[in-house]
């Protein structure tokens, strides 16, 4: 599961709300989309903003330092400042990446209040933050709450037009598919993932997380050969993405591979994939992150140490 998807946004306008000019130069992060002027390439960096250091630390996977830097920015800025809102979002992302999911959700609450004040409750950025916050609930076992919030965001996103609203809908649909899978409603998750992929032709991180959700739904139905096919497609797409889009999903492809292989009684192959997922997640996120724990549990299953 992950949130937060899509290519860089060329037009910051959504409805009657316009992105403050002070934020248009900030390059987007994988989970919360930040901003840059039109026409700039993905490789260009805009410097000179208060959140640059925190953003760079997050992209370098130095999550504890990114959290500290972003919280310092949030404390130093006025209550209704745009950069304070963005800094709180980076802090929520960085805290979640360290496996401190309850603290991350609390920080998302602060960020959501700041985004609502700064951009308005109906701005697509505020709605995107709601989607990200909802998906953090998955890590706390709050699957029904995630489902309800993602459904609300999807409904609102359906009234918008433009690429940013399409990306928002795809992000919320990913969260909904993950919540359905987590509740054992795999057929519903499969139908949603297939419908979402058909409506989202981009080959970006949005497509990746939707395809991973589809593979999980197939594993949940014991359709392991089909899950392997989707895992291979996801792996090919994952490898085609730039590094800054890949790192939030470290270990996710290997997990769906390992689950399918274990279902096919290919335990040695499953163990190799589960080990790769666990080692990558441990190095990137630490021992308490949801995905690290999932990989560790799967490893125990492959070794026959759990029922």
């Amino acid at each position: 599961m992950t949130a937060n998807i899509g290519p860089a946004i060329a037009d910051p306008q959504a409805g009657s709300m316009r992105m403050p000019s002070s934020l248009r130069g900030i390059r987007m992060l994988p989970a919360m989309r930040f901003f840059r002027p039109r026409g700039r390439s993905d490789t260009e960096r805009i410097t000179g903003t208060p959140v640059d250091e925190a953003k760079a630390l997050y992209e370098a996977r130095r999550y504890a330092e990114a959290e500290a830097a972003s919280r310092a920015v949030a404390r130093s800025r006025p209550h209704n400042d745009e950069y304070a809102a963005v800094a709180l979002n980076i802090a929520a992302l960085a805290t979640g990446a360290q496996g401190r999911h309850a603290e991350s959700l609390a920080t998302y609450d602060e960020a959501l209040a700041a985004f609502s004040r700064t951009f308005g409750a109906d701005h697509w950025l505020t709605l995107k933050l709601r989607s990200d916050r909802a998906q953090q609930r998955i890590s706390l076992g709050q699957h029904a709450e995630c489902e309800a919030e993602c459904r609300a965001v999807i409904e609102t996103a359906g009234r918008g037009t433009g690429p940013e609203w399409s990306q928002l809908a795809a992000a919320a649909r990913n969260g909904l598919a993950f919540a359905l899978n987590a509740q054992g409603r795999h057929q519903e998750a499969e139908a949603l993932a297939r419908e979402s992929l058909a409506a989202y032709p981009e080959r970006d991180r949005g497509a990746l997380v939707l395809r991973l959700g589809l593979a999980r739904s197939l594993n949940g139905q014991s359709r392991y050969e089909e899950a392997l096919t989707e895992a291979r497609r996801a792996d090919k797409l994952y490898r085609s993405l730039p590094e800054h889009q890949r790192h939030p999903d470290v270990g996710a492809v290997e997990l769906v591979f390992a689950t399918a292989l274990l279902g096919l009684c290919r335990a040695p192959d499953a163990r190799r994939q589960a080990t790769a997922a666990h080692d990558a997640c441990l190095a990137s996120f630490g021992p308490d992150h949801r995905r690290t724990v999932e990989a560790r549990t799967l490893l125990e299953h492959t070794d026959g140490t759990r029922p």
Side-chain angles (χ1 to χ4, degrees), residues 163-220:
E164 63 269 26
W165 292 94
S166 174
Q167 293 153 16
L168 169 63
R173 283 172 175 267
N174 167 59
L176 177 55
F178 203 103
L180 292 172
N181 274 323
Q183 295 174 80
R185 293 156 61 187
H186 303 298
Q187 291 182 334
E188 292 177 64
E190 179 191 358
L192 175 66
R194 292 192 186 280
E195 176 187 346
S196 301
L197 284 164
Y200 191 78
E202 304 295 333
R203 288 185 55 80
D204 58 15
R205 185 170 175 250
L208 171 66
V209 294
L210 288 169
R211 196 160 295 283
L212 287 169
L214 175 56
R216 281 180 174 269
S217 74
L218 294 169
N219 274 328

Side-chain angles (χ1 to χ4, degrees), residues 20-33:
S21 59
S22 59
L23 289 187
R24 291 182 193 157
I26 304 177
R27 185 181 176 278
M28 294 182 177
L29 282 180
M32 163 59 206
R33 308 303 284 168

Side-chain angles (χ1 to χ4, degrees), residues 61-275:
R61 306 187 195 183
R62 295 163 61 181
Y63 299 125
E65 295 168 81
E67 179 192 356
S70 57
R71 291 191 187 279
V73 171
R75 287 193 300 268
S76 71
R77 308 293 297 185
H79 185 61
N80 62 346
D81 180 78
E82 298 98 336
Y83 288 113
V86 172
L88 283 170
N89 188 83
I90 299 174
L93 293 171
T95 305
Q98 295 172 77
R100 291 165 31 224
H101 301 298
E103 291 178 61
S104 177
L105 184 61
T107 306
Y108 269 118
D109 289 342
E110 295 182 64
L112 182 57
F115 270 69
S116 297
R117 287 193 304 269
T118 303
F119 306 119
D122 294 329
H123 195 285
W124 74 269
L125 286 168
T126 307
L127 293 167
K128 180 62 173 64
L129 194 71
R130 281 178 61 187
S131 172
D132 294 346
R133 175 182 174 275
Q135 294 180 57
Q136 188 63 222
R137 289 181 175 275
I138 290 289
S139 301
L140 298 169
Q142 299 174 11
H143 306 136
E145 293 86 346
C146 175
E147 177 187 353
E149 184 73 342
C150 286
R151 287 191 187 278
V153 172
I154 290 167
E155 181 180 359
T156 304
R159 298 195 288 268
T161 58
E164 63 269 26
W165 292 94
S166 174
Q167 293 153 16
L168 169 63
R173 283 172 175 267
N174 167 59
L176 177 55
F178 203 103
L180 292 172
N181 274 323
Q183 295 174 80
R185 293 156 61 187
H186 303 298
Q187 291 182 334
E188 292 177 64
E190 179 191 358
L192 175 66
R194 292 192 186 280
E195 176 187 346
S196 301
L197 284 164
Y200 191 78
E202 304 295 333
R203 288 185 55 80
D204 58 15
R205 185 170 175 250
L208 171 66
V209 294
L210 288 169
R211 196 160 295 283
L212 287 169
L214 175 56
R216 281 180 174 269
S217 74
L218 294 169
N219 274 328
Q221 298 174 70
S222 302
R223 291 159 59 187
Y224 300 119
E225 290 288 0
E226 294 173 77
L228 274 183
T229 298
E230 294 302 331
R232 292 186 185 104
R233 290 172 177 165
D235 185 51
K236 183 178 179 180
L237 179 54
Y238 178 84
R239 294 176 187 277
S240 74
L241 297 177
E243 173 62 23
H244 73 272
Q245 289 192 33
R246 289 202 306 266
H247 76 76
D249 301 301
V250 163
V253 174
E254 290 86 352
L255 276 173
V256 295
F257 265 125
T259 303
L261 290 165
L262 188 60
L264 293 169
C265 300
R266 294 168 57 183
D269 293 334
R271 194 182 199 288
R272 280 192 290 272
Q273 292 284 356
T275 299

